[in-house]
Amino acid sequence: MSTLLTALATAGPLAAGWSVHTVWLRRSLRSARRDPLTGLRTRDGFTRRANVLLKDPRAVVVLADVDHFKQINDQHGHAAGDALLKATADRLAHYVGRDGVAGRLGGDEFAAVVIDTHGTIGDLLAVLARPADGMDPAVRTTVSLGWVGAADHPGEDLSGLLRRADEAMYAAKQARAGVRRAGLGRLLATWSGRRAGRRGTALAGPRDAA
């Protein structure tokens, strides 16, 4: 009996220590899948969740990026650029809600998968074009959007749908006549839900907008 009690007494601290370590590992993994600036999922975390959501025929894949981002950093400083990224991320996350997922792929490029139950994906344009609180009035830019419905391209995986959304986003960048201004806001938005014949990149890395 004494041997058993001794063994249990020895194992107790080890078990407790392992439990603490397991909790720490889980928290570290969650942190690694979150972008420290915006709080959105990073590429890996986004991909995992997006692949699950794409099983829903109502899923829509969205790409968005902040135009002229490098110039903003160069002219107004990185704090201004960070503020624009944070504002864009907050609005995208708010629109996506708990039923979808939003992620920062890198730099000024964001991706999302939205469960478009009511066919109102176009409302995202107005969400991104709301006034940005606390923004320096001298900082003005646009956000370009492109999206594609998963049901319109059955059998395509996330990479293929992101490529199509990237093509649509590029079309939005070329269609400045369609820019919609947001009241007193400093963020503008252009959009396109069509394929524009541009060769995109699957899960493309960050790039500066043209």
Side-chain angles (χ1 to χ4, degrees):
M1 178 64 72
S2 60
T3 302
L4 177 59
L5 291 176
T6 301
L8 291 174
T10 303
L14 291 175
W18 179 250
S19 297
V20 171
H21 183 64
T22 300
V23 171
W24 178 82
L25 284 175
R26 288 176 178 172
R27 289 179 178 175
S28 297
L29 183 59
R30 284 196 296 268
S31 297
R33 292 177 180 171
R34 293 284 177 178
D35 175 55
L37 174 64
T38 65
L40 296 184
R41 296 181 187 233
T42 57
R43 186 184 302 261
D44 180 61
F46 168 78
T47 300
R48 289 172 181 267
R49 178 62 177 153
N51 281 325
V52 173
L53 293 173
L54 286 178
K55 297 176 182 178
D56 190 318
R58 301 167 299 173
V60 175
V61 176
V62 180
L63 274 182
D65 71 11
V66 179
D67 300 326
H68 309 295
F69 185 65
K70 184 177 185 301
Q71 292 91 318
I72 291 170
N73 277 335
D74 291 344
Q75 295 175 15
H76 303 283
H78 289 279
D82 287 350
L84 283 175
L85 293 177
K86 187 67 167 61
T88 302
D90 288 348
R91 295 168 186 188
L92 188 59
H94 175 75
Y95 180 83
V96 166
R98 294 184 177 181
D99 293 334
V101 64
R104 183 183 178 193
L105 298 186
D108 61 326
E109 189 168 64
F110 301 87
V113 175
V114 180
I115 303 302
D116 190 22
T117 304
H118 304 293
T120 55
I121 186 65
D123 292 348
L124 179 55
L125 176 68
V127 171
L128 287 179
R130 290 202 309 264
D133 297 334
M135 191 68 63
D136 183 340
V139 181
R140 295 172 179 267
T141 190
T142 57
V143 177
S144 294
L145 299 175
W147 62 75
V148 61
D152 296 330
H153 304 281
E156 286 211 19
D157 61 8
L158 177 61
S159 293
L161 293 171
L162 282 170
R163 183 174 60 250
R164 291 180 181 273
D166 184 62
E167 293 168 354
M169 185 175 67
Y170 182 77
K173 288 179 180 295
Q174 307 309 308
R176 290 304 177 206
V179 170
R180 287 180 55 183
R181 291 184 178 274
L184 301 176
R186 302 302 174 186
L187 281 177
L188 312 177
T190 60
W191 67 276
S192 175
R194 301 169 301 169
R195 185 175 183 184
R198 174 181 180 239
R199 180 174 296 177
T201 55
L203 279 174
R207 65 169 181 272
D208 294 319

